[in-house]
């Protein structure tokens, strides 16, 4: 099967489709709920509140240093659920594959999904595969949805930021977006870059173990840290102050941004979170974050204030001040 | 930790700002000509460090912002031709023409690609021999040499499906136009570092000798900018104007002669129309006859219409520092980055975009 390609028949729902599922998917995602191959998964739900989220993944290139579309699709939805303060339990996965897609690449992507799900401790319990004619989709698109359980006493929301809260970022920012841009545009900068794609649910659990007084959690994906902070400032109707010198940025990412006129604050991350934590617990939570493999470079980058509501203001590295606004569209490289 | 940390040293920046404050007597208006300076000043919060008596006004040095709407329309027209691939720097994509933008045309299915260098366009032309590859040539002396080099290469390699729609402009004639404007009150010029790498300090000598306005070539890091402002303030308060190079680690006295020679091989100077400023004599670059074949306007019969529908935005006043963006009636009302009227709100180096993104409507 190794040199084969995906045919329209693989999405037909007939024998070819069954074979693809039986031979390639079930061995990777084996669990009793999925292997029944019913139209949907059925399971008991725990008491209390649940979180539910969905996301679609269309990244180009499909494979990049530090990951591929498969682990991104798992980590992304796991993280969205974790950012609700929930412990992710079950995922669905929908694949839209372009006719002619190499079977070997599909296998690599599915394998990554399986490894990431295992790492995050979630199960893929239902799925769907469609094949569309050549040109009707760009290689492969993946949608994942997921549900998770919110522990008793946890109330995390973008509306909950309070003056005095400390803002923690779990590590260096901009790694994913810059890696993708570097790879996609075939830029020949000699810079070792790697996506930070990772599941953050264990990190969140560790933080909630210290205190339930975590008001906001957000994974700053598209639009980056700046956009996430602006959304929170608006939703919570508070002001946010951050310090540029405390924001961790890898040297190669900062250099690349500087050459192309991009601002790392607006660049996507796939394995970082921002947490708004009540002041009295902030140091302890920060220590816990730093103990996690996803949070070694974590820092407190600022705090919530009751001034300039709805705005994010940054103290610049040289001691100046400026507004950090929301991104309008994609960041485009400058001319000179 | 960060690249160029040395040039962002907070204590050094503070001491430079303190010396500027001690030195400055009365109100001083300094124009930063270059869009990259404008963005750096906002991004690093440099205005916050300076005394109120120092007024930094932004000039016409954002190449996208000074591109006439009719040239934008020409790019859009070229993009609409069959079998044509347009290559452009990213900044230009969202700039509105009279009825569309390259970004909207791309969504309509036109083949418009963002590139980082004109040589990428040559590769595309070689890979697509049955298509016409047109480069949207926007920029100053900084990018013109690489465009010229791509044309020289294309000619040598016999690539005849490659052309440039050239709207390249020269900075010194624009400075001349600004300094000769009686409504302008500029005490000193912060001259663009990138352009100066090509033309050198010497490139501004005729301009300086004519007007004797204190002028300093500056780099783009906070220390570069503050140090150059300090030198300007010294010259202004002491009444001893000079043309100095405060960016010697990048800018040689005579600039880059090889780059200029390549530029001069392909282009001759011509009059050019600047958005909001009108025609500035000798400020443009036009193909020499030997390279006329690469002129997209000539190849595809693109003409420049006499009249241009008014957009209502006050680019001219903003690009010459006569008003600040919040003083334009459209700013942050009809004109925002999401729904821009003029390129100054779109380009990453545009003055209005810098105000909007970094000062959020405040007056700097």
């Amino acid at each position: 099967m190794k040199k084969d390609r995906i045919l329209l028949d693989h999405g037909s729902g007939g024998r070819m489709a069954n074979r693809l599922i039986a031979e390639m998917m079930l061995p990777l995602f084996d669990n009793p709920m999925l292997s029944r191959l019913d139209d949907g998964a059925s399971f008991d739900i725990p008491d209390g509140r649940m979180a539910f989220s969905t996301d679609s993944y269309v990244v180009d290139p499909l494979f990049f240093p530090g990951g591929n579309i498969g682990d991104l699709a798992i980590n992304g939805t796991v993280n969205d659920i974790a950012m609700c303060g929930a412990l992710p339990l079950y995922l669905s996965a929908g694949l839209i594959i372009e006719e002619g897609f190499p079977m070997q690449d599909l296998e690599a992507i599915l394998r990554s999904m399986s490894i990431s799900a295992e790492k995050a401790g979630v199960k893929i319990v239902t799925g769907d595969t469609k094949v569309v004619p050549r040109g009707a989709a760009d290689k492969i698109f993946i949608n994942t949805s997921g549900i998770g359980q919110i522990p008793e006493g946890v109330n995390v929301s973008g509306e909950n930021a309070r003056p005095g809260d400390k803002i923690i970022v779990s590590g260096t920012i901009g790694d994913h977006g810059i890696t993708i841009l570097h790879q996609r545009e075939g830029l020949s900068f000699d810079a070792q870059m790697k996506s930070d794609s990772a599941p953050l649910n264990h990190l969140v659990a560790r933080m909630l173990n210290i205190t339930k007084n975590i008001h906001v959690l957000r994974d700053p994906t598209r639009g980056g840290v700046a956009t996430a902070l602006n959304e929170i400032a608006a939703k919570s109707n508070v002001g946010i102050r951050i310090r540029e010198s405390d924001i961790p940025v890898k040297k190669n990412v900062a250099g690349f941004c500087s050459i192309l006129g991009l601002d790392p604050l607006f660049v996507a991350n796939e394995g970082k979170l921002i947490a708004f934590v009540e002041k009295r617990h902030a140091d302890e939570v920060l220590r816990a974050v730093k103990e996690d493999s996803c949070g070694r470079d974590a820092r407190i980058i600022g705090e919530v204030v009751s001034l300039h509501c709805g705005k994010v203001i940054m103290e610049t590295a040289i001691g100046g001040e400026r507004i950090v606004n929301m991104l309008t569209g994609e960041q485009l490289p400058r001319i000179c | 930790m960060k690249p160029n940390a040395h040039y962002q040293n907070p204590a050094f920046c503070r001491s430079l700002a303190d010396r500027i404050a001690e030195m400055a007597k009365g109100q001083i208006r300094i124009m930063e000509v270059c869009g990259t300076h404008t963005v750096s000043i906002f991004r690093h919060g440099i205005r916050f460090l300076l005394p109120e008596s120092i007024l930094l006004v932004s000039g016409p040095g954002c190449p996208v912002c000074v591109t006439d709407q009719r040239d934008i329309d020409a790019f859009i027209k070229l993009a609409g031709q069959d079998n044509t691939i347009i290559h452009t720097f990213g900044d230009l994509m969202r700039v509105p023409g009279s009825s569309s933008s390259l970004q909207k045309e791309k969504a309509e299915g036109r083949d418009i690609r963002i590139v980082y260098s004109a040589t990428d366009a040559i590769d595309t032309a070689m890979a697509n021999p049955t298509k016409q590859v047109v480069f949207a040539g926007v920029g100053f002396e900084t990018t013109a040499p690489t465009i010229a080099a791509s044309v020289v290469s294309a000619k040598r390699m016999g690539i005849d499906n490659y052309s440039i729609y050239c709207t390249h402009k020269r900075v010194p004639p624009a400075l001349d136009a600004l300094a000769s404007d009686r409504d302008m009150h500029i005490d000193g010029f912060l001259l663009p570092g990138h352009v100066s790498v090509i033309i050198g300090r010497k490139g501004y000598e005729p301009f300086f000798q004519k007007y004797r306005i204190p002028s300093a070539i500056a780099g783009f890091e906070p220390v570069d900018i503050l140090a150059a402002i300090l030198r300007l303030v010294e010259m202004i308060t002491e009444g001893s104007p000079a043309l100095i190079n405060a960016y010697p680690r990048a800018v040689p006295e005579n600039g880059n002669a090889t780059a200029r020679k390549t530029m001069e091989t392909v282009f001759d100077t011509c009059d050019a129309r600047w958005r909001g400023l009108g025609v500035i004599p000798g400020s443009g670059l036009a193909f020499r006859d030997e390279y006329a074949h690469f002129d997209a306007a000539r190849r595809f019969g693109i003409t420049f219409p006499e009249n241009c529908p008014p957009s209502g935005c006050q680019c001219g006043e903003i690009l010459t520092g006569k008003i600040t963006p919040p003083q334009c009636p459209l700013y942050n009302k009809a004109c925002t980055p999401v729904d821009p009227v003029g390129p100054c709100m779109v380009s990453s180096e545009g003055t209005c975009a810098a105000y909007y993104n970094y000062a959020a409507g405040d007056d700097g």
Side-chain angles (χ1 to χ4, degrees):
Chain A
M1 220 172 172
K2 281 263 153 110
K3 285 180 185 167
D4 286 352
R5 288 179 182 275
I6 285 286
L7 308 175
L8 283 171
D9 284 347
H10 286 116
S12 65
R15 281 181 202 282
M16 291 280 277
N18 286 343
R19 202 171 123 193
L20 183 75
I21 292 164
E23 290 184 5
M24 199 186 272
M25 298 185 182
L26 283 184
L28 286 170
F29 304 112
D30 193 27
N31 65 67
M33 279 181 258
L34 180 69
S35 52
R36 278 201 291 270
L37 296 180
D38 287 335
D39 280 351
S42 44
F43 45 81
D44 297 325
I45 55 165
D47 285 343
R49 296 170 69 220
M50 305 291 288
F52 178 41
S53 183
T54 187
D55 209 340
S56 300
Y57 300 84
V58 297
V59 65
D60 175 32
L62 297 175
F63 296 87
F64 45 83
N68 64 53
I69 191 172
D71 53 78
L72 212 57
I74 300 300
N75 294 338
T77 295
V78 162
N79 292 347
D80 284 346
I81 297 167
M83 296 310 126
C84 301
L87 312 171
L89 298 170
Y90 305 124
L91 298 189
S92 72
L95 309 179
I96 297 172
I97 312 174
E98 185 185 14
E99 176 189 19
F101 189 69
M103 204 64 95
Q104 203 177 340
D105 287 352
L106 179 63
E107 198 176 346
I109 290 166
L110 293 172
R111 195 169 294 283
S112 288
M113 291 175 77
S114 159
I115 293 168
S116 299
E118 173 102 29
K119 215 167 146 187
V122 296
K123 289 187 170 59
I124 296 169
V125 294
T126 186
D128 177 54
T129 305
K130 295 280 190 300
V131 179
V132 296
R134 219 173 234 284
D138 185 15
K139 301 184 275 288
I140 184 167
F141 298 151
I142 303 177
N143 171 277
T144 52
S145 296
I147 63 165
Q149 184 200 353
I150 301 175
E152 182 84 37
V154 170
N155 181 16
V156 172
S157 163
E159 296 173 348
N160 290 354
R162 298 282 173 270
D165 283 358
K166 292 284 178 187
I167 303 166
I168 295 173
V169 65
S170 66
T172 54
I173 65 167
D175 299 3
H176 176 76
I178 290 302
T179 304
I180 295 295
L181 185 67
H182 191 261
Q183 192 85 356
R184 182 165 65 202
E185 304 300 336
L187 299 174
S188 46
F189 292 96
D190 183 22
Q192 297 291 316
M193 294 180 198
K194 206 173 144 208
S195 166
D196 58 354
S197 171
L200 298 170
N201 54 325
H202 301 309
L203 173 61
V204 170
R206 201 187 270 261
M207 293 163 74
L208 288 170
N209 228 3
I210 304 286
T211 175
K212 300 277 195 292
N213 287 317
I214 293 173
H215 295 155
V216 185
L217 287 168
R218 195 54 72 92
D219 58 335
T221 53
R222 283 173 307 167
V225 169
T227 302
L229 291 179
N230 270 285
E231 284 170 1
I232 294 162
K235 279 187 183 166
S236 296
N237 196 30
V238 293
I240 289 177
R241 283 191 75 86
I242 54 173
R243 288 171 297 277
E244 187 175 25
S245 51
D246 287 337
I247 299 170
V249 185
K250 283 201 177 87
K251 206 172 170 181
N252 53 4
V253 170
F256 188 87
C257 284
S258 155
I259 289 167
L260 292 180
L262 307 176
D263 187 339
L265 277 172
F266 294 99
V267 179
N269 308 276
E270 289 293 345
K272 298 289 155 36
L273 62 77
I274 306 171
F276 285 55
V277 184
E278 220 173 88
K279 192 180 172 183
R280 62 195 162 112
H281 299 295
D283 289 336
E284 207 185 341
V285 172
L286 177 67
R287 269 197 300 280
V289 173
K290 285 168 97 75
E291 279 166 17
D292 193 280
S293 59
C294 291
R296 283 196 197 102
D297 300 319
R299 298 281 286 270
I300 290 176
I301 61 163
E303 48 273 320
V304 178
V305 294
S306 46
L307 302 167
H308 54 80
C309 290
K311 284 185 183 174
V312 181
I313 289 187
M314 181 162 82
E315 187 183 307
T316 64
I318 64 162
E321 243 182 43
R322 71 156 160 104
I323 290 271
V324 176
N325 216 326
M326 201 181 268
L327 189 60
T328 301
E330 220 179 327
Q331 282 199 104
L332 298 172
R334 66 170 176 225
I335 289 178
C336 63
Chain B
M1 155 90 191
K2 299 222 170 95
N4 307 322
H6 187 61
Y7 293 100
Q8 298 184 8
N9 182 300
F12 193 23
C13 288
R14 171 51 68 191
S15 76
L16 285 167
D18 288 346
R19 283 168 63 192
I20 290 168
E22 280 164 31
M23 181 73 68
K25 307 271 183 290
Q27 193 159 73
I28 291 174
R29 279 169 65 89
I30 293 172
M31 174 178 276
E32 85 272 2
V33 176
C34 169
T36 313
H37 275 148
T38 304
V39 170
S40 189
I41 286 164
F42 274 102
R43 202 155 157 170
H44 294 291
I46 288 175
R47 286 171 182 227
F48 187 84
L49 297 185
L50 292 173
E52 279 181 9
S53 56
I54 305 285
L55 205 63
L56 296 178
V57 295
S58 307
C62 151
V64 169
C65 304
V66 294
T67 301
D68 194 276
Q69 193 161 312
R70 282 161 282 191
D71 286 321
I72 305 289
D73 288 341
F75 296 141
I76 290 166
K77 199 168 175 184
L78 285 163
Q81 294 187 146
D82 289 340
N83 282 317
T84 303
I85 302 171
I86 299 288
H87 275 222
T88 172
F89 292 128
D91 266 16
L92 211 52
M93 288 298 282
R94 295 193 195 107
V95 177
S98 31
S99 61
S100 184
S101 68
L102 287 174
Q103 190 181 43
K104 286 179 185 162
E105 292 300 306
K106 185 167 184 283
E108 290 284 333
R110 310 299 183 198
D111 195 343
I112 300 167
R113 306 179 188 181
I114 295 175
V115 289
Y116 298 86
S117 149
T119 52
D120 295 344
I122 298 257
D123 294 342
T124 307
M126 287 170 74
N128 297 275
T130 60
K131 296 198 170 180
Q132 288 292 330
V133 175
V134 182
F135 193 88
V138 167
F140 295 119
E141 290 93 333
T142 331
T143 45
T146 57
I147 304 282
S150 78
V151 169
V152 170
S153 302
K155 188 172 186 186
R156 195 180 55 236
M157 293 190 280
I159 299 169
D160 57 9
N161 60 328
Y162 174 58
S163 60
I164 316 276
Y165 185 93
C166 180
T167 73
H168 271 82
K169 295 180 174 64
R170 299 172 59 232
V171 166
L175 291 172
D176 200 314
L178 287 169
S180 65
D181 185 339
R182 286 174 190 280
D183 295 335
M184 293 278 309
H185 305 286
I186 298 298
D187 300 307
F189 282 106
L190 204 63
L191 297 175
H194 293 145
V195 166
S196 306
V197 170
I198 308 295
I199 70 173
R201 194 196 66 90
K202 270 202 163 165
Y204 304 99
E205 196 69 59
F207 157 72
F208 176 73
Q209 292 306 340
K210 191 168 167 189
Y211 298 98
R212 301 199 65 80
I213 298 172
S215 302
I217 295 167
F220 300 96
E221 297 295 340
V223 165
D224 292 321
I225 292 171
L226 285 163
I229 291 173
L230 177 61
R231 296 292 305 276
L232 285 172
V233 171
E234 282 169 0
M235 290 189 250
I236 294 161
T237 50
E238 289 166 4
S240 55
L243 165 63
I244 62 148
N245 179 6
Y247 192 27
R249 72 178 187 280
V251 176
E253 173 70 6
N254 293 316
N256 182 335
T258 312
R260 277 202 313 278
K261 194 171 169 222
T262 309
M263 195 161 76
E264 284 156 16
T265 302
V266 175
F267 299 119
D268 198 357
T269 58
C270 64
D271 298 348
R273 185 177 292 275
W274 295 53
R275 184 183 171 98
L277 305 180
V279 174
I280 301 179
S283 68
L285 294 173
F287 279 95
R288 290 186 187 277
D289 288 344
E290 308 91 281
Y291 292 91
H293 177 61
F294 293 95
D295 183 350
R298 218 178 295 194
R299 185 181 294 187
F300 302 107
I302 304 287
T303 50
F304 197 86
E306 250 334 287
N307 298 313
C308 182
S311 69
C313 83
Q314 302 198 355
C315 309
E317 281 71 21
I318 290 167
L319 292 167
T320 50
K322 287 175 187 160
I323 64 169
T324 59
Q327 291 171 291
C328 171
L330 303 185
Y331 176 80
N332 207 1
K333 294 185 184 81
C335 182
T336 64
V338 175
D339 201 7
V341 176
C344 309
M345 187 55 100
V346 193
S347 168
S348 60
E349 303 199 332
T351 310
C352 298
Y355 269 77
Y356 188 93
N357 287 323
Y358 299 122
D362 303 337
D363 196 4

